[in-house]
Amino acid sequence: MEITLQNLGVLEYAQFSLGDLTIICGKNNTGKTYATYALFGFLSYWKNQFEYPVSDDKIKELHLTGKVEINLADCINELKKILKKTCNEYTKSLSSVFASEAKKFQTSSFEINLDFNSVRFNEKYTKVLSTADKNKVLSLNKEKNSPNLVISFLVDEKKANFPKQFINKIVGDALKDILFPEVLPNPFIVSAERTGAAIFRKELNFARNRLLEEISSSNEEINPSKLSFNVTNDYALPVKMNVEFTRNLEQTFKSQSFIVKEYPEIIANFVDIIGGDYLVTQNDELCFTPAKKKIKLTMDESSSGVRSALDLGFYLKHVAKKGDLLIIDEPELNLHPENQRKIARLFAQLVNIGIKVFITTHSDYIIRELNTLIMLNSDKPHIKKIQKEEKYSSSELLDFSKVKVYVAEQGKIPAKSRKGNTLVKAPIDEQGIEVKSFDDTIEKINQIQEAIVWGE
């Protein structure tokens, strides 16, 4: 997947591709967050808002005969046109993604290019829709390695009483799930505003409860959307998503991710980073339980590092699915350098079990630890010895070809004879990642300190 942005905030132009691990570095106010939010916004738009077009003839056939088959190879021929249309529609909604004025995005553009040869539909897909009383009414099925999606009514079509638009959405969503799970992954974002969402989650619940009470007790006609507009419309989409996720942690706690079942060592490593674990009590109270201590702390009583890692912790234990794209803005937030190194190792483990990771970072500790994981990925005897002595597991080693790194800085703008704010691809090989802005800063500090010590 290759993303191209133009005239988006401070970014005049940016082009970047997703790797299994994607990193954007750079100084403050250089456009890292613009690129991150734009990508997350598109993937959310694709998943939740864009309605994949389904042939009217196929829907008519389904209503007439109770069954229809859709050839997926025919769908692939239309993908390029559909994706272009989606990007155009999404570009028009950028102001809502960033919670900003529409006029600021009049010249903006967002494009995604896919390698359509990589689109596969080999896996089995099954979905059955049921009524409220659990009667099965509609089946969508694709056998493994089959080119056809088969949609069938399981009851008389008139009894099912499905609106045409509803059928279109169900079939369209199935086609998106079958054709795009790898090239357009399901996103989960952890924004830099996560600490505030964690500590004020009760107030967010109270605000909603007060709104409901006002609506139910008022004798006047009230527009709920108007009442909540000022609360929800002033925040960028990723922040809204974080708030909504944090509000519903009690429900999320009831689920269990594949990581808990298949890779418990990853959960153990996360618990080591934060020094304990999260717990939702029988009274639906969110607590943090420090390791080896029989106490329960509220979020107010817990450290900023614990609050900062809350969304990531719940994602890992209760939400994560293979193929996801985990996006984290500044993962180093509130973490000691030792734990910044540990979280870099955690990211490598996630990449190696099939979760894509996308981060923006100012942390030289994270980059250096990732470099260590890349350099340790070797069969040389002395490197194997170091790996064993320093207690690195094979699940943490990182193949440099899976990593893409970009630096937000001044660079050459295509079709223009000058420099502007863009994303410049950083060099990476078996010896690791080179991020010049970090290196220059560290060298400058060393130079000043050496001058102080040895100046006379």
Side-chain angles (χ1 to χ4, degrees):
M1 182 200 307
E2 185 179 71
I3 300 97
T4 304
L5 310 172
Q6 293 192 63
N7 300 322
L8 189 60
V10 298
L11 283 175
E12 292 186 54
Y13 177 90
Q15 190 171 73
F16 62 99
S17 300
L18 283 189
D20 292 333
L21 172 60
T22 308
I23 305 166
I24 299 184
C25 304
K27 296 180 180 180
N28 299 112
N29 303 314
T30 52
K32 301 185 299 297
T33 299
Y34 275 100
T36 305
Y37 281 15
L39 172 62
F40 173 77
F42 176 82
L43 293 174
S44 297
Y45 179 84
W46 173 266
K47 179 176 174 60
N48 300 313
Q49 293 177 258
F50 178 71
E51 294 192 6
Y52 193 94
V54 181
S55 166
D56 287 339
D57 291 340
K58 293 293 184 183
I59 299 300
K60 287 178 183 177
E61 183 180 344
L62 176 62
H63 282 285
L64 286 173
T65 66
K67 182 177 179 180
V68 69
E69 293 189 9
I70 295 178
N71 187 286
L72 298 171
D74 293 339
C75 294
I76 289 180
N77 296 331
E78 298 293 319
L79 289 185
K80 190 172 184 178
K81 182 167 63 176
I82 290 170
L83 192 61
K84 184 176 181 179
K85 179 184 176 184
T86 311
C87 289
N88 289 337
E89 291 181 4
Y90 170 66
T91 299
K92 296 174 185 177
S93 70
L94 281 171
S95 60
S96 63
V97 172
F98 290 91
S100 188
E101 298 173 293
K103 65 181 181 182
K104 294 182 179 179
F105 301 90
Q106 288 178 346
T107 61
S108 301
S109 68
F110 180 98
E111 296 178 16
I112 279 189
N113 290 316
L114 299 179
D115 177 10
F116 294 106
N117 293 324
S118 67
V119 176
R120 299 285 185 268
F121 44 86
N122 299 329
E123 297 303 314
K124 181 179 176 64
Y125 179 89
T126 301
K127 188 171 185 177
V128 177
L129 273 70
S130 303
T131 59
D133 53 1
K134 298 184 179 180
N135 289 323
K136 297 178 180 178
V137 292
L138 187 70
S139 166
L140 298 95
N141 185 63
K142 189 196 81 67
E143 295 297 332
K144 189 171 184 177
N145 298 322
S146 169
N148 294 324
L149 171 65
V150 181
I151 305 117
S152 309
F153 279 115
L154 302 177
V155 296
D156 183 88
E157 189 270 334
K158 292 181 180 178
K159 291 181 180 179
N161 195 28
F162 276 157
K164 179 183 174 183
Q165 187 176 1
F166 182 72
I167 295 290
N168 280 0
K169 176 168 175 51
I170 294 299
V171 176
D173 286 349
L175 292 173
K176 286 194 289 185
D177 290 342
I178 293 168
L179 296 171
F180 294 97
E182 294 182 10
V183 290
L184 292 175
N186 178 53
F188 181 90
I189 193 164
V190 180
S191 76
E193 285 74 20
R194 55 191 177 271
T195 306
I199 197 169
F200 292 116
R201 60 188 304 275
K202 287 186 178 180
E203 282 72 13
L204 295 169
N205 281 331
F206 290 152
R208 174 167 290 196
N209 291 338
R210 285 196 298 270
L211 176 62
L212 293 173
E213 287 172 6
E214 184 173 348
I215 292 172
S216 61
S217 62
S218 176
N219 294 323
E220 299 179 7
E221 184 176 343
I222 293 176
N223 185 339
S225 298
K226 187 175 181 180
L227 280 175
S228 62
F229 178 81
N230 291 331
V231 177
T232 61
N233 203 48
D234 292 337
Y235 301 99
L237 177 64
V239 178
K240 292 180 189 177
M241 299 294 282
N242 272 174
V243 168
E244 193 61 27
F245 181 75
T246 305
R247 284 190 63 260
N248 293 302
L249 292 180
E250 290 82 4
Q251 289 299 316
T252 305
F253 188 76
K254 298 174 183 178
S255 302
Q256 198 175 66
S257 75
F258 81 99
I259 298 178
V260 173
K261 301 171 185 175
E262 299 178 29
Y263 304 97
E265 68 277 8
I266 293 180
I267 303 300
N269 290 342
F270 176 79
V271 169
D272 178 55
I273 291 172
I274 62 171
D277 203 359
Y278 302 105
L279 174 69
V280 174
T281 67
Q282 292 181 344
N283 298 324
D284 280 347
E285 183 180 9
L286 175 64
C287 299
F288 174 73
T289 56
K292 299 179 182 179
K293 294 183 180 179
K294 296 181 180 180
I295 59 173
K296 296 176 183 177
L297 303 176
T298 66
M299 288 300 102
D300 290 16
E301 297 168 330
S302 301
S303 71
S304 58
V306 167
R307 295 195 297 270
S308 178
L310 178 64
D311 285 7
L312 176 59
F314 269 74
Y315 170 79
L316 294 175
K317 289 187 71 173
H318 307 289
V319 177
K321 296 178 181 177
K322 290 181 181 178
D324 281 354
L325 175 64
L326 172 62
I327 303 173
I328 307 183
D329 207 357
E330 300 182 19
E332 66 271 18
L333 198 63
N334 303 120
L335 292 182
H336 184 276
E338 180 183 358
N339 284 331
Q340 292 181 40
R341 290 182 58 205
K342 289 179 180 179
I343 206 164
R345 295 166 72 169
L346 182 76
F347 292 154
Q349 287 184 304
L350 293 177
V351 165
N352 290 332
I353 66 169
I355 293 179
K356 297 180 186 297
V357 178
F358 182 111
I359 66 170
T360 68
T361 185
H362 297 287
S363 172
D364 181 56
Y365 294 104
I366 288 179
I367 297 298
R368 286 183 178 228
E369 189 65 19
L370 291 172
N371 283 348
T372 298
L373 301 179
I374 290 171
M375 290 188 286
L376 284 174
N377 189 31
S378 169
D379 291 328
K380 294 179 180 178
H382 79 283
I383 291 180
K384 287 294 183 184
K385 182 181 178 182
I386 294 171
Q387 178 188 333
K388 184 177 180 180
E389 289 175 349
E390 298 298 333
K391 298 180 180 179
Y392 284 90
S393 72
S394 58
S395 66
E396 297 171 324
L397 305 186
L398 201 53
D399 183 342
F400 80 91
S401 66
K402 294 183 176 182
V403 184
K404 293 186 182 296
V405 183
Y406 298 87
V407 180
E409 62 183 10
Q410 288 279 305
K412 185 178 179 182
I413 305 296
K416 294 184 180 180
S417 57
R418 60 176 178 79
K419 289 185 175 182
N421 282 351
T422 186
L423 295 181
V424 177
K425 193 171 184 179
I428 179 171
D429 56 23
E430 296 92 339
Q431 297 304 309
I433 307 159
E434 180 184 331
V435 181
K436 193 172 185 298
S437 62
F438 289 171
D439 295 339
D440 289 348
T441 301
I442 292 168
E443 287 174 8
K444 185 64 177 177
I445 291 172
N446 292 338
Q447 176 189 337
I448 292 170
Q449 291 183 350
E450 287 176 4
I452 291 170
V453 174
W454 303 106
E456 293 190 15

